[in-house]
Amino acid sequence: MWSRFFILFFILKSTSCVQKLQEFFEWNIIDFEYPTDSHRTNAILTGKFKPENALPVGIEIWHDKMFISVPRWREGIPATLNYVPLDSPVKNPRLIPYPDWPSNELGNCEHGLSTVYRIKADECDRLWVLDTGTFGIDNTTQNPCPYALNIFDLRTNQRIRRYELRAEDINEDTFIANIAVDLGKTCDDAHAYFSDELGYGLIVYSFKENKSWRFSHSYFLPDPLRGDYTIDKLNFQWGEEGIFGMSLSPPQEDGSKWLYFSPLASHREFAVSTKTLKDSSKVDKSWKEFFPLNERGPNSHTTSRVMDDYGVQFFNLIDQNAIGCWNSQNPYHKKNHAVVDKDDVGLIFPADVKVDRNRNLWVISDRMSNFLLASLNYGEINFRVYFAPIDQLIKGTVCDTTPLNQYYNSKYYVNNNQYFAKFPLQKQYQIFGGNLLF
Ligand SMILES: *[C@@H]1O[C@H](CO)[C@@H](O)[C@H](O)[C@H]1NC(C)=O
Ligand SMILES: *[C@@H]1O[C@H](CO)[C@@H](O)[C@H](O)[C@H]1NC(C)=O
């Protein structure tokens, strides 16, 4: 177990140059682990499995599992929520449906998952999964099922909750592909945030209250000047895409966090306190509690981001085939951003970024724009998973946390063999330190 992981780690440890992302998995085309070969052959013959239609978009790491989501944009996707063992002996493992095959049945609203995008595992060993209930994409979209949050207990692989979003939480344009999970002091004290990219809303779900509510704000809208994209020489326009990628800061002294977000058709970052979001009475009266930060600079559309326990944010830069970083101890400004890795072959459309409990960054790239607007060549590697220890990835960049590390190393506590940083880490001035526009 973990053997390839440790070998990689050793290689990284033993070289001294600036460390970049290391390739961990690679696939030309996605395959699934059927009970037998004849099940698989039969699925292909009957069109239930069309390998060329499968695009992996979201990842999450929990212990020795890497979860991988595959949306049902086209026909022949046998399972939308899957995992592969991290200690797989091969670099292109077949996807194993999670928690099982029946739970991945398209159109089975009560017991199945139709289409899943980003997923999030929390410190209480739960996997948060939003099922959009859809089949298809853009003008082919059908909605056999409602949007529903599914939460799985990762230790028992049982679904422990299903919550359908209320009719008031969505509208006819709703498209939700990103989720952030905010854990408070106890496992019960948990909230999920869903960004409605095309319906322009931010939906909050309280685990304890089993209730949801929806914020609207003009900061969720796309910037009309930022709808043009060129990725891997393909030029296209995604002008209507609003609030998309989100990340949560470490908790502050009062336990609240900052939710950072950005519309997709935008170069700008915004922030709101979770104190605001968790208060359902604020839905209609919190316009001034959302803050604009600076723009990132040219060619900086981003769909996915994550923040580690030290407050370092990583974000995909889809126009640059790159991953960027920002240390939130510094004002949000282009000069405080760095590119931690860039690869014009391997990092074409880095679709998701995640941090594991051992402070490694994971990235999946999937050539999504080529898949959607042109086609993939299945004779080449199309999908890649990369990984790197964060400290080594940001070493020597403006995102480096070395002084912080020294300071906070004394402030770690150990629980259940896991290390947790003791907070407070972020202070109010770190976001208000001149980086807001007013
Ligand atoms: C959907 O849109 C695409 C591209 O804009 C177009 O080629 C196709 O005919 C449309 N399909 C339907 C069912 O409207
Ligand atoms: C949560 O609410 C939904 C509907 O609002 C209900 O179906 C479900 O049983 C509730 N779950 C819990 C654990 O209370």
Side-chain angles (χ1 to χ4, degrees), residues 133-382:
T134 55
F135 168 72
I137 188 167
D138 296 336
N139 59 1
T140 68
T141 303
Q142 301 164 30
N143 295 65
C145 295
Y147 272 88
L149 174 66
N150 290 256
I151 306 177
F152 296 91
D153 181 336
L154 287 162
R155 288 170 298 208
T156 61
N157 304 320
Q158 299 293 313
R159 188 174 72 182
I160 54 172
R161 190 164 295 188
R162 176 172 182 272
Y163 176 85
E164 279 180 25
L165 295 192
R166 303 170 310 149
E168 301 89 322
D169 293 332
I170 56 173
N171 59 37
E172 61 194 15
D173 296 319
T174 287
F175 175 82
I176 306 173
N178 270 300
I179 171 171
V181 175
D182 180 8
L183 196 59
K185 286 201 170 63
T186 64
C187 294
D188 225 25
D189 178 17
H191 292 79
Y193 309 116
F194 309 110
S195 53
D196 184 351
E197 182 198 25
L198 298 177
Y200 312 139
L202 183 57
I203 298 131
V204 182
Y205 171 72
S206 158
F207 184 82
K208 199 193 298 182
E209 296 173 65
N210 191 38
K211 263 174 51 184
S212 55
W213 51 93
R214 176 186 172 99
F215 283 83
S216 299
H217 202 288
S218 51
Y219 296 168
F220 302 163
L221 269 59
D223 177 341
L225 303 181
R226 303 289 183 217
D228 188 50
Y229 303 68
T230 300
I231 300 177
D232 193 28
K233 300 182 204 84
L234 201 60
N235 177 256
F236 57 95
Q237 285 75 40
W238 284 349
E240 294 170 13
E241 337 305 272
I243 179 172
F244 206 55
M246 297 177 288
S247 67
L248 283 165
S249 74
Q252 305 179 95
E253 265 163 271
D254 65 356
S256 69
K257 302 174 186 175
W258 289 103
L259 181 83
Y260 295 99
F261 64 89
S262 184
L264 172 49
S266 171
H267 290 163
R268 189 177 294 283
E269 187 90 349
F270 298 90
V272 59
S273 168
T274 57
K275 221 182 320 179
T276 302
L277 297 177
K278 286 184 200 173
D279 185 348
S280 57
S281 74
K282 293 253 179 177
V283 161
D284 296 320
K285 32 183 189 278
S286 53
W287 203 90
K288 294 195 169 146
E289 294 171 35
F290 288 73
F291 301 103
L293 277 65
N294 281 309
E295 289 205 290
R296 281 175 291 277
N299 297 321
S300 62
H301 295 113
T302 169
T303 63
S304 181
R305 76 269 304 274
V306 62
M307 201 174 254
D308 75 3
D309 287 347
Y310 293 90
V312 179
Q313 188 192 77
F314 295 91
F315 44 94
N316 62 353
L317 288 163
I318 56 175
D319 326 69
Q320 298 181 41
N321 311 321
I323 304 295
C325 67
W326 164 56
N327 184 340
S328 61
Q329 305 293 320
N330 303 316
Y332 194 89
H333 189 279
K334 190 173 175 301
K335 72 175 189 330
N336 291 324
H337 296 169
V339 164
V340 294
D341 206 350
K342 172 176 170 63
D343 183 336
D344 292 339
V345 177
L347 280 178
I348 297 171
F349 218 109
D352 202 5
V353 288
K354 281 282 164 39
V355 172
D356 70 18
R357 290 180 180 184
N358 298 308
R359 207 159 177 257
N360 298 298
L361 185 76
W362 294 84
V363 177
I364 186 167
S365 66
D366 66 6
R367 304 189 165 182
M368 189 189 297
S369 38
N370 305 68
F371 176 87
L372 288 174
L373 306 159
S375 59
L376 296 183
N377 172 359
Y378 289 105
E380 3 181 281
I381 301 166
N382 289 301

